[in-house]
Amino acid sequence: LATLAESVLGECLRLAQDEIRVAHGEIVGSGFAAVGYGSLGGAELGFASDLDLVFVYDDAIANGESDGERPLEGPRYVARLAQRVVHWLTVQSHAGRLYEVDVRLRPDGGKGMLVVSLDAFAEYQRERAWIWEQQALVRARVIAGDAGTGSRFAEMRAAALAQPRDAAA
């Protein structure tokens, strides 16, 4: 089931990228990735599981702008992309929804941005993440998106999990 969800998520990302490209053009270096947490990240998805997703992007596009007729700056571009991915996964059809999606595991939860840069994600994990958020990071892995961003996320994840901990705390 997790492998099927990965394939579906990858296809939804492709559809979303096509839609955004038509409306707003492309952005150089749009290193966007969808990170699976929980049962999706741990490849233990069940029939009643939702998809716990966090969206990240490469910091290099933060100051960029798309090249279409209606250009968007980098952070808005990837935010629209994430919104479209969630839409494709959750849209109600005659056969029902593909998946329920939970995006509350992103930094700062429901108050935080839908898509976060890798540097901001790493800083959050180092400085402000609750212990349960760090525990959830154990099962997190990139499910779809840019391979380079995925590699950088894996490095950031490993560094966050290897931080020295205060045993007394």
Side-chain angles (χ1 to χ4, degrees), residues 31 33 35 55-59 116-124 126 142 146 148-154 156:
V35 178
F55 299 103
V56 296
Y57 67 93
D58 191 299
D59 298 89
V116 64
S117 73
L118 285 170
D119 285 346
F121 189 90
E123 185 269 331
Y124 178 82
R126 258 190 331 271
V142 172
D146 179 68
T149 303
S151 294
R152 284 197 52 220
F153 176 84
M156 181 281 313

Short mmCIF file of all heavy atoms in Angstrom, two decimals, residues 31 33 35 55-59 116-124 126 142 146 148-154 156:
data_model
loop_
_atom_site.label_atom_id
_atom_site.label_comp_id
_atom_site.label_asym_id
_atom_site.label_seq_id
_atom_site.Cartn_x
_atom_site.Cartn_y
_atom_site.Cartn_z
N GLY A 31 13.63 22.87 -6.64
CA GLY A 31 13.86 21.63 -5.92
C GLY A 31 12.80 21.39 -4.87
O GLY A 31 12.97 21.70 -3.69
N ALA A 33 10.10 18.80 -2.88
CA ALA A 33 9.96 17.39 -2.51
C ALA A 33 8.85 17.22 -1.48
O ALA A 33 8.61 18.09 -0.65
CB ALA A 33 11.27 16.85 -1.94
N VAL A 35 7.72 14.91 1.62
CA VAL A 35 8.29 14.03 2.63
C VAL A 35 7.15 13.31 3.32
O VAL A 35 6.19 13.93 3.78
CB VAL A 35 9.11 14.83 3.66
CG1 VAL A 35 9.67 13.92 4.75
CG2 VAL A 35 10.22 15.61 2.97
N PHE A 55 6.07 19.31 2.98
CA PHE A 55 6.64 19.73 1.70
C PHE A 55 7.83 20.64 1.96
O PHE A 55 7.74 21.58 2.76
CB PHE A 55 5.59 20.47 0.86
CG PHE A 55 4.40 19.61 0.52
CD1 PHE A 55 3.20 19.78 1.20
CD2 PHE A 55 4.48 18.64 -0.47
CE1 PHE A 55 2.10 19.00 0.90
CE2 PHE A 55 3.39 17.85 -0.78
CZ PHE A 55 2.19 18.03 -0.11
N VAL A 56 8.94 20.36 1.28
CA VAL A 56 10.15 21.16 1.43
C VAL A 56 10.65 21.59 0.05
O VAL A 56 10.31 20.99 -0.96
CB VAL A 56 11.27 20.38 2.17
CG1 VAL A 56 10.86 20.07 3.60
CG2 VAL A 56 11.65 19.11 1.43
N TYR A 57 11.46 22.65 0.05
CA TYR A 57 12.07 23.09 -1.21
C TYR A 57 13.49 23.57 -0.96
O TYR A 57 13.85 23.94 0.15
CB TYR A 57 11.23 24.17 -1.89
CG TYR A 57 11.16 25.49 -1.18
CD1 TYR A 57 12.05 26.53 -1.47
CD2 TYR A 57 10.20 25.73 -0.20
CE1 TYR A 57 11.98 27.75 -0.82
CE2 TYR A 57 10.12 26.95 0.46
CZ TYR A 57 11.02 27.95 0.14
OH TYR A 57 10.95 29.16 0.78
N ASP A 58 14.26 23.56 -2.02
CA ASP A 58 15.64 24.01 -1.97
C ASP A 58 15.67 25.52 -1.81
O ASP A 58 14.97 26.24 -2.50
CB ASP A 58 16.35 23.60 -3.26
CG ASP A 58 17.84 23.80 -3.17
OD1 ASP A 58 18.27 24.96 -2.97
OD2 ASP A 58 18.58 22.82 -3.30
N ASP A 59 16.51 25.99 -0.91
CA ASP A 59 16.59 27.41 -0.60
C ASP A 59 17.02 28.28 -1.79
O ASP A 59 16.76 29.48 -1.79
CB ASP A 59 17.57 27.63 0.55
CG ASP A 59 17.09 26.93 1.80
OD1 ASP A 59 17.44 25.75 1.98
OD2 ASP A 59 16.37 27.56 2.57
N VAL A 116 8.14 24.56 3.35
CA VAL A 116 9.23 25.20 4.10
C VAL A 116 10.55 24.91 3.40
O VAL A 116 10.74 23.84 2.82
CB VAL A 116 9.24 24.72 5.57
CG1 VAL A 116 9.53 23.24 5.69
CG2 VAL A 116 10.19 25.52 6.41
N SER A 117 11.45 25.89 3.43
CA SER A 117 12.76 25.68 2.83
C SER A 117 13.54 24.68 3.67
O SER A 117 13.30 24.52 4.87
CB SER A 117 13.53 27.00 2.74
OG SER A 117 13.97 27.40 4.02
N LEU A 118 14.49 24.01 3.04
CA LEU A 118 15.30 23.03 3.76
C LEU A 118 16.07 23.67 4.90
O LEU A 118 16.17 23.09 5.99
CB LEU A 118 16.26 22.33 2.80
CG LEU A 118 15.63 21.28 1.90
CD1 LEU A 118 16.64 20.84 0.84
CD2 LEU A 118 15.14 20.10 2.70
N ASP A 119 16.61 24.86 4.68
CA ASP A 119 17.36 25.54 5.76
C ASP A 119 16.44 25.87 6.93
O ASP A 119 16.82 25.69 8.09
CB ASP A 119 18.04 26.81 5.24
CG ASP A 119 19.27 26.51 4.38
OD1 ASP A 119 19.75 25.36 4.41
OD2 ASP A 119 19.73 27.43 3.69
N ALA A 120 15.24 26.35 6.63
CA ALA A 120 14.29 26.67 7.70
C ALA A 120 13.86 25.40 8.42
O ALA A 120 13.70 25.40 9.65
CB ALA A 120 13.08 27.41 7.14
N PHE A 121 13.69 24.32 7.69
CA PHE A 121 13.31 23.05 8.31
C PHE A 121 14.41 22.57 9.25
O PHE A 121 14.14 22.15 10.38
CB PHE A 121 13.03 22.00 7.23
CG PHE A 121 12.44 20.73 7.75
CD1 PHE A 121 11.07 20.58 7.86
CD2 PHE A 121 13.25 19.68 8.15
CE1 PHE A 121 10.52 19.41 8.35
CE2 PHE A 121 12.72 18.51 8.64
CZ PHE A 121 11.34 18.37 8.74
N ALA A 122 15.66 22.64 8.78
CA ALA A 122 16.79 22.21 9.62
C ALA A 122 16.90 23.07 10.87
O ALA A 122 17.12 22.56 11.97
CB ALA A 122 18.08 22.27 8.81
N GLU A 123 16.74 24.39 10.71
CA GLU A 123 16.81 25.29 11.86
C GLU A 123 15.71 24.98 12.86
O GLU A 123 15.93 24.95 14.07
CB GLU A 123 16.71 26.75 11.37
CG GLU A 123 16.88 27.78 12.46
CD GLU A 123 15.56 28.18 13.10
OE1 GLU A 123 14.52 28.12 12.42
OE2 GLU A 123 15.57 28.54 14.29
N TYR A 124 14.51 24.70 12.37
CA TYR A 124 13.40 24.36 13.25
C TYR A 124 13.72 23.08 14.03
O TYR A 124 13.50 23.02 15.24
CB TYR A 124 12.12 24.17 12.43
CG TYR A 124 10.94 23.77 13.27
CD1 TYR A 124 10.21 24.73 13.97
CD2 TYR A 124 10.56 22.44 13.40
CE1 TYR A 124 9.14 24.37 14.77
CE2 TYR A 124 9.49 22.07 14.20
CZ TYR A 124 8.78 23.03 14.88
OH TYR A 124 7.73 22.67 15.67
N ARG A 126 16.61 21.86 14.79
CA ARG A 126 17.70 22.13 15.74
C ARG A 126 17.26 22.94 16.93
O ARG A 126 17.67 22.69 18.06
CB ARG A 126 18.82 22.91 15.03
CG ARG A 126 20.00 22.16 14.61
CD ARG A 126 21.16 23.05 14.14
NE ARG A 126 20.80 24.33 13.55
CZ ARG A 126 20.54 24.53 12.26
NH1 ARG A 126 20.59 23.54 11.41
NH2 ARG A 126 20.24 25.73 11.81
N VAL A 142 11.79 11.10 1.93
CA VAL A 142 11.26 11.75 0.73
C VAL A 142 10.53 10.71 -0.09
O VAL A 142 11.06 9.63 -0.37
CB VAL A 142 12.38 12.44 -0.07
CG1 VAL A 142 11.87 12.94 -1.40
CG2 VAL A 142 12.94 13.60 0.75
N ASP A 146 12.15 16.26 -6.32
CA ASP A 146 13.51 16.45 -6.79
C ASP A 146 14.51 15.60 -6.01
O ASP A 146 14.54 15.63 -4.77
CB ASP A 146 13.86 17.95 -6.65
CG ASP A 146 15.26 18.24 -7.08
OD1 ASP A 146 15.54 18.13 -8.29
OD2 ASP A 146 16.09 18.59 -6.20
N GLY A 148 17.83 15.83 -5.79
CA GLY A 148 18.82 16.61 -5.05
C GLY A 148 18.27 17.13 -3.74
O GLY A 148 18.95 17.11 -2.70
N THR A 149 17.04 17.61 -3.77
CA THR A 149 16.39 18.08 -2.55
C THR A 149 16.19 16.91 -1.60
O THR A 149 16.37 17.05 -0.38
CB THR A 149 15.05 18.76 -2.89
OG1 THR A 149 15.31 19.83 -3.80
CG2 THR A 149 14.36 19.29 -1.64
N GLY A 150 15.85 15.76 -2.16
CA GLY A 150 15.70 14.56 -1.33
C GLY A 150 16.99 14.18 -0.63
O GLY A 150 16.98 13.83 0.56
N SER A 151 18.10 14.27 -1.33
CA SER A 151 19.40 13.96 -0.72
C SER A 151 19.74 14.95 0.37
O SER A 151 20.23 14.56 1.45
CB SER A 151 20.50 13.98 -1.79
OG SER A 151 20.31 12.94 -2.70
N ARG A 152 19.49 16.22 0.11
CA ARG A 152 19.77 17.24 1.14
C ARG A 152 18.87 17.03 2.35
O ARG A 152 19.30 17.22 3.49
CB ARG A 152 19.58 18.64 0.58
CG ARG A 152 20.74 19.06 -0.31
CD ARG A 152 20.83 20.54 -0.56
NE ARG A 152 20.83 21.31 0.66
CZ ARG A 152 20.18 22.47 0.81
NH1 ARG A 152 19.51 22.99 -0.19
NH2 ARG A 152 20.21 23.12 1.94
N PHE A 153 17.61 16.66 2.14
CA PHE A 153 16.71 16.38 3.26
C PHE A 153 17.25 15.20 4.08
O PHE A 153 17.25 15.25 5.31
CB PHE A 153 15.29 16.09 2.78
CG PHE A 153 14.38 15.71 3.92
CD1 PHE A 153 13.77 16.70 4.68
CD2 PHE A 153 14.17 14.39 4.27
CE1 PHE A 153 12.97 16.38 5.76
CE2 PHE A 153 13.37 14.05 5.34
CZ PHE A 153 12.76 15.05 6.09
N ALA A 154 17.69 14.14 3.40
CA ALA A 154 18.22 12.97 4.12
C ALA A 154 19.43 13.34 4.98
O ALA A 154 19.56 12.87 6.11
CB ALA A 154 18.59 11.87 3.12
N MET A 156 20.05 16.40 6.21
CA MET A 156 19.54 17.23 7.29
C MET A 156 18.87 16.35 8.36
O MET A 156 19.06 16.55 9.56
CB MET A 156 18.54 18.25 6.73
CG MET A 156 17.92 19.20 7.73
SD MET A 156 16.56 18.56 8.75
CE MET A 156 15.53 17.74 7.58
#
